[in-house]
Amino acid sequence: MKKFTGLFLALCIGGIANQSALAQEKETALVPLPSLDDFTKGENGWAFGLGGGIEYESAYEGSDEFGFEVDPAGAVQWRSGDNIFYFAGEALGWRGLRAENWLFEATVAFEEGREEGDSDDGYLDGLGDTEEGTEIVLQARRAFDADWRYWLDGRVITGDNGNIGIFGVGRRFGEQNDGTGSELALVAVYHDSERANRDFGITASQAAASGLDETYLDSGLRSFGLHYNYRQYLNENWLIYVEGLYERYSSDVEESPIVRNNYEAELGVGFIYIF
């Protein structure tokens, strides 16, 4: 769901867009946060966005291998007043604005597992593939004012492979109300023991097959870090986005033999065409 390089790139792109005067003010988005796609342009009814991007990211959680990956982007959305229903890739959800400064969201999504082949250097050999699964995401955001300049966020992810809690505080930059501009959030991520061991634990059979030490993790702090989002209209239909993530693992997670790097990082750039 992932750097300072992104900040520099976004500033450069933003300068070009402003100089060309192509980034015109759009209608008011449901909430003016760049981290939430809103293709409706303030109008009720259907909205469509289709595009793609390229990401440079960790090969798997805990990996010290990095690579490029091409990912689709966009969504089908239907807006009715302060509610948006959407289908985006492998996620089906709803988000609604209440009392100007409360945003609620519920999503059913498909969560991919980890495969042994995700490590080109063979660091996952003998661990087998982790199971895919369905998860439910429940989220609430509370803005300090109607402009959503500062906000608090709480999210619970529960599903077939355990539970995760994400808590953050964010700052929105720019004066636009159309969902463009940039946004920076500080987050803390917690996991229960089921999710922790699914991602970083090693069972007795896995230890025998891989040669790694058997490992069991308790529930607790998973990571803390920074999330960055940038959105900018290039013209009436084209939208560019930049997303960056840096998360530093807790000491408990770092002790897992699966973890070869004490952080997870991701930087992505892409374009979306809004019909």
Side-chain angles (χ1 to χ4, degrees):
M1 188 285 223
K2 186 185 187 99
K3 253 107 128 133
F4 298 112
T5 305
L7 292 172
F8 175 75
L9 178 60
L11 289 173
C12 293
I13 295 171
I16 295 173
N18 289 332
Q19 291 173 8
S20 64
L22 292 176
Q24 301 176 359
E25 183 73 14
K26 306 296 177 182
E27 293 83 353
T28 302
L30 185 66
V31 288
L33 296 180
S35 57
L36 299 174
D37 286 328
D38 185 349
F39 306 140
T40 66
K41 299 181 180 180
E43 299 179 359
N44 289 331
W46 291 101
F48 304 88
L50 181 63
I54 185 168
E55 296 180 346
Y56 184 70
E57 60 184 355
S58 307
Y60 57 90
E61 292 178 318
S63 174
D64 60 356
E65 303 169 63
F66 288 81
F68 290 95
E69 181 176 348
V70 177
D71 289 320
V76 177
Q77 300 176 341
W78 185 77
R79 180 167 179 170
S80 176
D82 288 334
N83 299 279
I84 291 179
F85 300 87
Y86 60 89
F87 174 70
E90 298 175 337
L92 180 65
W94 158 86
R95 66 174 64 109
L97 180 65
R98 299 294 182 268
E100 292 190 340
N101 51 14
W102 276 102
L103 179 71
F104 298 97
E105 186 165 7
T107 308
V108 178
F110 176 77
E111 190 249 339
E112 297 181 352
R114 185 189 66 211
E115 299 179 357
E116 282 192 11
D118 288 342
S119 173
D120 293 334
D121 295 332
Y123 295 130
L124 299 176
D125 291 352
L127 297 180
D129 299 341
T130 61
E131 294 183 358
E132 302 170 340
T134 301
E135 58 188 21
I136 297 174
V137 183
L138 302 176
Q139 179 178 194
R141 294 195 187 194
R142 174 66 160 84
F144 292 111
D145 54 42
D147 291 335
W148 286 81
R149 183 66 55 200
Y150 297 92
W151 49 264
L152 296 172
D153 178 77
R155 194 181 319 169
V156 175
I157 303 173
T158 181
D160 299 331
N161 298 306
N163 305 292
I164 289 180
I166 303 173
F167 305 94
V169 57
R171 167 70 155 90
R172 180 176 74 91
F173 301 90
E175 301 299 327
Q176 307 97 315
N177 290 318
D178 60 353
T180 64
S182 58
E183 176 186 341
L184 187 65
L186 176 66
V187 300
V189 183
Y190 295 84
H191 52 196
D192 65 6
S193 58
E194 182 180 359
R195 185 59 180 255
N197 287 287
R198 181 260 195 183
D199 293 335
F200 305 112
I202 299 174
T203 65
S205 59
Q206 288 176 324
S210 66
L212 300 175
D213 293 336
E214 183 176 352
T215 303
Y216 179 85
L217 284 78
D218 293 321
S219 59
L221 179 66
R222 181 187 183 97
S223 63
F224 58 90
L226 293 172
H227 293 187
Y228 175 77
N229 286 274
Y230 172 83
R231 299 283 188 276
Q232 183 64 58
Y233 283 103
L234 299 179
N235 56 32
E236 183 67 22
N237 300 102
W238 282 103
L239 177 72
I240 187 172
Y241 66 88
V242 178
E243 298 175 347
L245 173 150
Y246 174 87
E247 288 190 13
R248 176 67 180 263
Y249 291 126
S250 68
S251 57
D252 288 343
V253 172
E254 285 184 44
E255 292 176 358
S256 168
I258 294 175
V259 176
R260 304 185 59 84
N261 220 353
N262 60 9
Y263 67 89
E264 178 184 354
E266 176 182 321
L267 177 63
V269 180
F271 297 88
I272 298 175
Y273 184 85
I274 302 174
F275 295 86

